[in-house]
Amino acid sequence: MADTPNIDDRHFQDIDRDRLLGFKTSAHAPRILLLYGSLRERSFSRLMTEEAARVLARFGAETRIFDPSGLPLLDDADASHPKVQALRDLVMWSEGMVWCSPERHGAMTGIMKSQIDWIPLSLGGVRPTQGKTLAVMQVCGGSQSFNTVNQLRILGRWMRLLTIPNQSSTPKAFLEFDEDGRMKPSPFYDRMVDVMEELMKFTLLTRDNTDYLLDRYSERKESAAELSKRVNQKAI
């Protein structure tokens, strides 16, 4: 069993796939990529992300957390940089994502934005984010705010991700984690669990139907070669 001691087993329910889905689904565990937005030694966005990964594992997901340390600024290196390739490979691997950033100066951090900026809308004729699910979270140094999750939502829609309705914002995050870096039991912890539960449900509900859900009239009219030429044009 996953290491989730703060969960009340009386109220935790496994995902009921038969109830959620009425058709044949993939047997493999949902693949979830988690990104965080701080490089501090005691990064609360990282600690929150690690807690979310533990909860997702308990729900049956396969998770991978990207370490942004060493990722260059956009246009300060090209896409062949090893960290950029690692990030893009994980995005292609994933079926859903979690983005968690601190709020800094009323906005997401540059570290968070840099990761998202390195994720392309298209690679040739393939859109690596389109139709995948996304959950957004933020940690605050002071009072609760929703600036960062609101910005992440805008980016999620722009990247054509299915951004789930629920979200998490944790105020005074420095009070919510113990000396071992584990999140303490609280309504904020419970909200994070809610968000991961919802992400799993939406991922299971949509991942096997993305081809049809994203099948569009305009794109059926356009060949793959024409699409690749259009989305990769160097000047508009």
Side-chain angles (χ1 to χ4, degrees), residues 46-63:
R46 176 178 56 79
L47 295 178
M48 176 70 84
T49 295
E50 291 172 351
E51 287 290 345
R54 294 182 184 103
V55 174
L56 286 167
R58 175 148 185 188
F59 278 126
E62 180 183 357
T63 64

Side-chain angles (χ1 to χ4, degrees), residues 76-144:
D76 199 32
D78 60 37
S80 64
H81 190 283
K83 290 294 290 193
V84 175
Q85 283 298 306
L87 174 60
R88 291 185 174 187
D89 288 346
L90 285 172
V91 171
M92 293 296 292
W93 164 86
S94 70
E95 296 169 326
M97 286 193 275
V98 178
W99 294 350
C100 180
S101 176
E103 180 169 314
R104 185 165 296 166
H105 303 313
M108 77 182 76
T109 62
I111 294 166
M112 189 79 237
K113 185 63 163 56
S114 289
Q115 293 174 82
I116 298 168
D117 285 345
W118 273 116
I119 301 171
L121 281 172
S122 60
L123 285 170
V126 178
R127 295 190 174 99
T129 55
Q130 182 171 245
K132 297 178 180 180
T133 53
L134 171 67
V136 296
M137 304 192 297
Q138 76 174 80
V139 291
C140 309
S143 59
Q144 190 175 45

